[in-house]
Amino acid sequence: GAGVSQTPSNKVTEKGKYVELRCDPISGHTALYWYRQSLGQGPEFLIYFQGTGAADDSGLPNDRFFAVRPEGSVSTLKIQRTERGDSAVYLCASSESVGTDTQYFGPGTRLTVL
Amino acid sequence: AQSVTQLDSQVPVFEEAPVELRCNYSSSVSVYLFWYVQYPNQGLQLLLKYLSGSTLVKGINGFEAEFNKSQTSFHLRKPSVHISDTAEYFCAVTPLDGATNKLIFGTGTLLAVQP
């Protein structure tokens, strides 16, 4: 079946601009996660959704970052007033539910802020 | 808080040789442990996980890992590697604190298999 998909695969923007990154989880998966992977680092947790609600947003670095999942499926990560330090690969993962379920990762969106 | 340390950023090895990728973690609560692999230009893929029970866990592609609670380690091993095993390997933990299922990753180890 189809895996987790993310669009766009690459996004280049200018400092100060607004960007939206989209994640389509595996059908039926109720849990959705966003991670950020900077060059030479492991993925870093940003936010977790259970259904439509953000159950844990403790990893969001500041209030320029926001994510939604209005219908409990597709999620959008929104970054306002982008900074060069936001450049990274943004990864999305989904799992059937919480607990011991495996998280399946998408290919990521590479964001470059010039 | 939890942290994961992967002691080697890069491990070069010849084809058909054995390999061990080291992982240590720190946590004030119990954790689940994972190894993920990232092949060039692909997404992260689960290799294996330890939840409970036998401390020796077998995964895909002939990999296995052993959980050692006293040493807080979860080293990954393969008895004979192939060129196709060249990839970035990430160790990760999930804290069992009832909050979320978030993964906390190490910085990764690049396994470079040479012919």
Side-chain angles (χ1 to χ4, degrees):
Chain A
V4 178
S5 63
Q6 294 185 245
T7 54
S9 55
N10 279 284
K11 176 69 177 179
V12 180
T13 190
E14 293 179 343
K15 180 177 179 293
K17 298 290 188 183
Y18 168 83
V19 297
E20 289 189 351
L21 312 179
R22 176 188 167 107
C23 172
D24 269 282
I26 293 172
S27 178
H29 281 194
T30 60
L32 186 145
Y33 304 80
W34 284 98
Y35 295 84
R36 177 169 72 174
Q37 187 173 15
S38 300
L39 195 62
Q41 301 296 315
E44 178 186 23
F45 170 77
L46 295 177
I47 186 170
Y48 151 65
F49 287 89
Q50 180 59 36
T52 60
D56 182 359
D57 63 358
S58 62
L60 294 177
N62 51 59
D63 61 5
R64 295 187 298 105
F65 288 75
F66 189 71
V68 295
R69 194 185 186 199
E71 298 179 356
S73 178
V74 171
S75 176
T76 305
L77 178 65
K78 308 181 181 194
I79 310 174
Q80 299 177 318
R81 305 183 303 281
T82 53
E83 300 177 356
R84 292 194 180 88
D86 298 335
S87 296
V89 177
Y90 289 81
L91 300 170
C92 177
S94 70
S95 66
E96 266 191 70
S97 63
V98 292
T100 61
D101 288 338
T102 297
Q103 292 184 33
Y104 296 89
F105 283 80
T109 293
R110 182 176 299 278
L111 175 66
T112 303
V113 182
L114 301 176
Chain B
Q2 293 76 35
S3 66
V4 177
T5 301
Q6 292 185 245
L7 298 169
D8 305 299
S9 60
Q10 186 167 351
V11 173
V13 62
F14 288 108
E15 194 173 18
E16 297 184 6
V19 71
E20 178 180 81
L21 306 183
R22 295 180 292 171
C23 172
N24 288 85
Y25 69 93
S26 172
S27 177
S28 56
V29 301
S30 296
V31 296
Y32 292 147
L33 298 120
F34 305 81
W35 276 98
Y36 278 81
V37 59
Q38 189 170 36
Y39 296 106
N41 301 315
Q42 294 187 29
L44 286 160
Q45 178 182 359
L46 180 69
L47 264 182
L48 48 78
K49 61 184 177 183
Y50 173 78
L51 306 179
S52 64
S54 172
T55 57
L56 183 63
V57 181
K58 294 190 183 298
I60 61 172
N61 300 340
F63 284 93
E64 64 181 31
E66 185 154 22
F67 170 54
N68 187 318
K69 188 173 182 178
S70 63
Q71 297 186 6
T72 59
S73 68
F74 191 53
H75 300 333
L76 181 71
R77 302 186 185 99
K78 186 169 182 178
S80 176
V81 295
H82 302 289
I83 295 286
S84 59
D85 292 324
T86 295
E88 188 89 29
Y89 291 79
F90 292 95
C91 182
V93 302
T94 292
L96 301 180
D97 55 5
T100 71
N101 205 30
K102 66 183 179 184
L103 291 164
I104 299 161
F105 288 86
T107 51
T109 296
L110 176 61
L111 175 62
V113 182
Q114 306 164 31

